[in-house]
Amino acid sequence: MHLSESARVVFDVLAGTGTATRPQLAAGAGLSKPTVSSAVAELEAVELAAHSGRASGGTGRSAAIYRLGPAAGAVLAVDLGPAVTRVRGCALDGTLLAEGTGSRQDAADTVRKVLDALPAGAPLRAVVVAVGDVPTRDRAGERPATAKAGPVFDAMAVALPEGVPVHLENNVNCAALAELHEGAAVGRDTFGYLRIGVGIGLAVVIGGRVLRGANGAAGEVARLPYPWDDDRAPRHEGLEQRMGSRTLLRRAAEAWQDGDGPRPRTAERLLALAGQGHATAGAVVASHAADVGRLAAAVAAVLDPGLIVLGGGTGADPQLLPGVRAELARLSWPTEVVSSVVGDTGTVAGASRLAVAHGIQTVTGAVRAKH
C-alpha cells in the first residue's frame, strides 16, 4: 500500500491518540489543515481511517472525529515464558482486542484462540514474541531465531498467518518497556530494570529507549564473570547459577533447622515464610538481598542510571528492598531502588507496545518503529 508522506504522518498521530478531530491531527502532525484534510480523505479511501461521530465546539460548531478504520488491522504479542504463555491481540491504537493464557507447550493453541477472537477480516500487521534469550536470526537471515525457545517457537509459528512480520525481543527488555510506560519508572526516561528469578537479567533504558548493544545482548548480566578471585576461575553464567531461585532454595535447604518446619519447595513459599517472621527464611532472604544489592552496585558502577527497578519472581518482592538498598549504598553512589509494579503481565504488556509500533511501521512503511 502506497501512502503519501502526509497520510503516513497523520496515520501515525491517529494511532497514537485513538480518536482525533482534524484540528487535533493538524496540531499533532505539524501540518496545515488543508493538508490534513487531504490526508484524512486518502486514509478514508483505503479504510485506514473512519468517522467516529462529531464533537461540539464552544462556538456551537461541531467537528468530525476520526478513528482508525478496519483496514488498519491488529497486532499480536506473545510472552513465551518458561512455564506460561501469555498472548494479546491489540489494535494499532493499543486497544486490547483479545487475550489468552496457556502453558508453554500449548503456545500454538493459545495463539490460535486469540487470533480467532480478533475482528473478522482485520489484517494482522505484526507479531512480537518475547523470549528468555538473545534474539538472533537464522543462518540465511530470513527469520528470527533463538536457541532456547527454538522448538516451542517453531511449533507456535505454525499458527501464525504467512507473510506477517515476526519480531523476537528479549523478555526483560519487554518488561522494562512496561515499567517505563505504566509501571514503576513512569516519568523516568533512564533506568535499569533488574529481573531476579529462575534466571537473572537486566534491561537498560536510556532516553526512553531500550539499549540493545552490538549483539543484541546488552544487559546480559548472567555473563558477568563469577566467581572472580585468585582461587577460582569464572564459570559460564556462574553468576546466574549463584543468584537464580534454584540455588536460593538449595541454600535455604542447607540452612534449615530441625525445628523450622517443612522446608520450602518454591521461592514463593520461602518469601512467604520470611514475611511471616520465620527466622531462618528471613536470614536466607536477607543474604539473597545482599547478593542482589552487589549486582545492583555493579549496574550502577557502569551505567549510573539513577533508578533501578527490581522485578522477577524473587526480585519484585518488597522484602528485598532494605537489603538491596543498604548494600548498594555501601558499595556505590546514591541510586533509587524500587520494586516492579507491573507483575506477571509486564512482559506481554511491553511486547504489545512493541507490536503496535511495528504494526504502524508496516502500514506506513516507516524506516524504524518507535519504541
Side-chain angles (χ1 to χ4, degrees):
M1 182 184 302
H2 177 74
L3 295 175
S4 67
E5 181 61 29
S6 58
R8 292 174 190 157
V9 174
V10 169
F11 181 86
D12 201 355
V13 173
L14 187 56
T17 58
T19 60
T21 63
R22 274 183 282 191
Q24 290 169 336
L25 291 171
L31 299 172
S32 68
K33 290 181 181 178
T35 300
V36 166
S37 294
S38 177
V40 168
E42 181 182 346
L43 293 172
E44 283 187 292
V46 291
E47 297 189 319
L48 289 175
H51 276 278
S52 183
R54 302 190 73 83
S56 298
T59 61
R61 296 180 179 178
S62 64
I65 302 174
Y66 296 91
R67 57 175 171 78
L68 294 181
V75 296
L76 199 70
V78 182
D79 172 14
L80 204 59
V84 177
T85 297
R86 293 181 172 84
V87 183
R88 287 185 180 180
C90 299
L92 293 196
D93 62 1
T95 301
L96 179 64
L97 300 174
E99 61 183 335
T101 303
S103 71
R104 178 181 173 87
Q105 298 306 318
D106 293 333
D109 289 338
T110 306
V111 166
R112 288 189 187 97
K113 289 176 183 177
V114 173
L115 287 173
D116 289 344
L118 294 178
L124 190 64
R125 297 296 190 180
V127 178
V128 168
V129 183
V131 295
D133 199 359
V134 178
T136 57
R137 300 196 76 80
D138 62 14
R139 290 183 178 179
E142 293 176 350
R143 74 168 185 81
T146 172
K148 295 179 182 177
V152 177
F153 174 81
D154 290 341
M156 181 212 65
V158 174
L160 300 174
E162 290 187 11
V164 178
V166 178
H167 308 269
L168 263 66
E169 181 56 88
N170 178 266
N171 56 5
V172 181
N173 287 346
C174 289
L177 287 173
E179 297 289 355
L180 173 66
H181 292 285
E182 56 200 79
V186 169
R188 306 286 288 268
D189 68 355
T190 297
F191 66 97
Y193 172 80
L194 188 57
R195 175 175 283 183
I196 308 293
V198 175
I200 62 174
L202 172 71
V204 181
V205 177
I206 297 177
R209 299 183 68 88
V210 172
L211 178 67
R212 289 178 172 81
N215 295 294
E220 287 294 310
V221 290
R223 296 294 182 91
L224 285 173
Y226 178 86
W228 197 356
D229 59 32
D230 292 337
D231 300 323
R232 295 179 295 172
R235 303 189 307 271
H236 178 73
E237 297 189 348
L239 187 60
E240 184 167 81
Q241 295 173 25
R242 161 75 186 182
M243 298 185 64
S245 58
R246 294 185 183 91
T247 303
L248 173 63
L249 289 172
R250 187 162 61 247
R251 288 203 297 273
E254 293 168 354
W256 222 245
Q257 304 297 313
D258 290 340
D260 284 339
R263 197 170 66 218
R265 303 291 182 182
T266 65
E268 291 78 10
R269 179 58 181 161
L270 175 66
L271 290 164
L273 288 172
Q276 295 165 12
H278 191 289
T280 302
V284 173
V285 170
S287 175
H288 191 58
D291 277 350
V292 176
R294 291 167 193 142
L295 177 55
V299 171
V302 176
L303 299 174
D304 190 19
L307 170 68
I308 293 176
V309 179
L310 296 180
T314 305
D317 193 301
Q319 292 182 82
L320 270 67
L321 282 177
V324 173
R325 288 168 173 166
E327 192 70 358
L328 178 56
R330 184 179 75 85
L331 295 172
S332 193
W333 36 78
T335 303
E336 185 180 359
V337 183
V338 299
S339 299
S340 166
V341 297
V342 298
D344 294 339
T345 61
T347 297
V348 74
S352 297
R353 289 187 172 273
L354 281 177
V356 165
H358 283 298
I360 293 171
Q361 177 188 23
T362 299
V363 172
T364 63
V367 174
R368 188 175 186 178
K370 294 186 285 186
H371 48 273

